[in-house]
Amino acid sequence: MGDIRFELVEDREKAKILWDILSPHKTIDDEWDFRYQFFKPLSYKLHFIAGYDQEKLIGLLPLQLNTLQGLMPPYYPSDNIPFLECFGGDDTDDNRILMKPGYEQQEQRFLDQITQRAYLAPLQIQYSYKNKEADLYENKYLLSLEGLISYEDYIDKKWSGSSRKKLRQQIRKLYRENAIEVMKNDLSDIDYMAELNKRRFGQNSSFQHEYRADIFKNLAQIYQAEIMSIMVNGKRMGVSYGIKYKDAYLGMNAGVEESLSDLGKLLVLLQIERAIELGCTVYDGGKGSGGWKSEFKFVASPQYILSV
């Protein structure tokens, strides 16, 4: 191996070519089109650090310059200074330097090319021991669906004792006291989901930024989106939005009317059932809000942050 030559790539077309060369394309976070939807609406700049052994591409550190437009991630220190972050920002998971096999020992040299403030997150667990400066950032939550045939089967196998009995009672009560119908794949329900989120979280809702709903609409044109709406007594009262990618169901967002107790639990169960129907082996519940996810037997998978 000769000297490694580094190059800063800001051109979108070239960045995509380099990404596709090195990405393993195993999860949705490995896909350019997924990440690009979160980049596209904003006035950010690509900042890809490419490394070459002679003329051979051997690694890529895919970053973007956050120019403080739109939704800010939790790691932003609120000081009005632009910063580098992972391509796609905080809406992605399991970030890493894309390395050609055999060159993994050169990763630190890519980090050394960063010459301005950067917050690299959420990073794969490997960075918790590869770089002693990486700290725990947030957990994402995964539910194994292997061997399950329905949400009733999931309750039988994952829940136990009084909690299993109580959950069943809550769901049966909903159906006993209400006329419930499930509608699927109405794209207009994305706007209703956004409205439900704004009602619940107020100014803290990501959907206060209007472009956020457009991202979900655009993703539905690229991937197999699974939109479920719950009608209760003829009124739409809950919406979930997921994506099926290979053998994974990705729970992207949801919203429910809070006036009806336990409706959110039913919406989770219906998503689990749909994921099983689709042949998925894992339900990726995403980062944060670990209370209900732990209750529903999702397992925490840590993500890390490295400040440079």
Side-chain angles (χ1 to χ4, degrees), residues 12-70:
R12 182 183 65 84
E13 292 185 5
K14 183 172 183 179
K16 183 179 186 304
I17 290 171
L18 299 181
W19 174 278
D20 285 336
I21 290 173
L22 291 180
S23 172
H25 301 289
K26 291 182 178 179
T27 72
I28 202 167
D29 289 298
D30 293 332
E31 301 303 337
W32 171 278
D33 287 340
F34 177 74
R35 289 173 176 261
Y36 189 70
Q37 301 314 306
F38 297 96
F39 172 89
K40 183 171 63 172
L42 303 166
S43 58
Y44 293 177
K45 297 179 181 179
L46 294 177
H47 190 102
F48 280 30
I49 299 171
Y52 299 85
D53 182 358
Q54 297 184 29
E55 297 305 313
K56 178 173 63 175
L57 178 70
I58 59 101
L60 187 69
L61 176 51
L63 304 176
Q64 63 190 26
L65 179 63
N66 188 315
T67 55
L68 312 183
Q69 304 296 313

Side-chain angles (χ1 to χ4, degrees), residues 173-186:
K173 184 174 186 288
L174 276 173
Y175 277 101
R176 184 174 64 250
E177 297 182 354
N178 303 278
I180 294 177
E181 184 181 4
V182 179
M183 312 294 289
K184 293 183 178 179
N185 296 328
D186 185 342

Side-chain angles (χ1 to χ4, degrees), residues 267-285:
L267 192 55
V268 173
L269 292 174
L270 291 173
Q271 288 182 88
I272 290 172
E273 181 116 319
R274 181 57 179 153
I276 293 170
E277 291 173 354
L278 292 168
C280 297
T281 59
V282 64
Y283 182 147
D284 183 340

Side-chain angles (χ1 to χ4, degrees), residues 1-5 52-54 103 106 109:
M1 180 178 66
D3 290 337
I4 297 178
R5 173 176 64 85
Y52 299 85
D53 182 358
Q54 297 184 29
Y103 287 88
Q106 302 298 322
R109 296 186 63 182

Side-chain angles (χ1 to χ4, degrees), residues 189 192 196 228-232 235-240 255-257 263 267:
D189 284 343
Y192 181 55
L196 288 170
M228 271 192 293
S229 305
I230 299 181
M231 305 289 292
V232 182
K235 179 184 177 183
R236 188 174 273 99
M237 295 191 69
V239 182
S240 67
V256 295
E257 293 275 6
L263 188 62
L267 192 55

Side-chain angles (χ1 to χ4, degrees), residues 21-225:
I21 290 173
L22 291 180
S23 172
H25 301 289
K26 291 182 178 179
T27 72
I28 202 167
D29 289 298
D30 293 332
E31 301 303 337
W32 171 278
D33 287 340
F34 177 74
R35 289 173 176 261
Y36 189 70
Q37 301 314 306
F38 297 96
F39 172 89
K40 183 171 63 172
L42 303 166
S43 58
Y44 293 177
K45 297 179 181 179
L46 294 177
H47 190 102
F48 280 30
I49 299 171
Y52 299 85
D53 182 358
Q54 297 184 29
E55 297 305 313
K56 178 173 63 175
L57 178 70
I58 59 101
L60 187 69
L61 176 51
L63 304 176
Q64 63 190 26
L65 179 63
N66 188 315
T67 55
L68 312 183
Q69 304 296 313
L71 180 66
M72 287 294 101
Y75 44 78
Y76 168 55
S78 301
D79 58 5
N80 295 317
I81 300 174
F83 56 93
L84 293 174
E85 62 183 351
C86 296
F87 173 47
D90 194 48
D91 289 282
T92 65
D93 291 322
D94 293 316
N95 287 288
R96 63 202 181 280
I97 304 171
L98 301 177
M99 298 297 298
K100 188 175 181 64
Y103 287 88
E104 293 85 354
Q105 71 277 13
Q106 302 298 322
E107 281 192 345
Q108 183 59 46
R109 296 186 63 182
F110 285 79
L111 294 173
D112 292 341
Q113 304 307 306
I114 298 175
T115 58
Q116 63 193 95
R117 187 173 64 169
Y119 302 103
L120 308 187
L123 297 175
Q124 283 185 342
I125 193 170
Q126 68 195 55
Y127 291 93
S128 67
Y129 57 85
K130 277 193 172 184
N131 191 309
K132 63 183 180 181
E133 297 176 357
D135 297 316
L136 179 65
Y137 173 58
E138 179 62 276
N139 288 319
K140 73 171 184 175
Y141 291 84
L142 305 172
L143 176 68
S144 174
L145 303 176
E146 293 193 51
L148 301 179
I149 60 174
S150 66
Y151 82 63
E152 286 284 359
D153 189 36
Y154 150 78
I155 295 173
D156 274 337
K157 293 178 177 177
K158 302 287 187 178
W159 292 64
S160 60
S162 60
S163 61
R164 176 199 291 160
K165 180 180 179 181
K166 182 178 179 181
L167 178 61
R168 281 210 167 101
Q169 289 174 338
Q170 291 168 332
I171 300 306
R172 288 169 182 165
K173 184 174 186 288
L174 276 173
Y175 277 101
R176 184 174 64 250
E177 297 182 354
N178 303 278
I180 294 177
E181 184 181 4
V182 179
M183 312 294 289
K184 293 183 178 179
N185 296 328
D186 185 342
L187 283 177
S188 67
D189 284 343
I190 294 173
D191 291 322
Y192 181 55
M193 180 180 72
E195 180 59 32
L196 288 170
N197 273 266
K198 286 190 283 187
R199 286 185 210 168
R200 180 177 179 184
F201 298 108
Q203 291 303 310
N204 293 324
S205 170
S206 64
F207 290 107
Q208 294 292 351
H209 301 275
E210 292 187 5
Y211 74 90
R212 294 289 296 183
D214 292 334
I215 290 174
F216 287 88
K217 295 172 186 176
N218 292 338
L219 286 170
Q221 303 301 319
I222 302 171
Y223 299 102
Q224 182 178 336

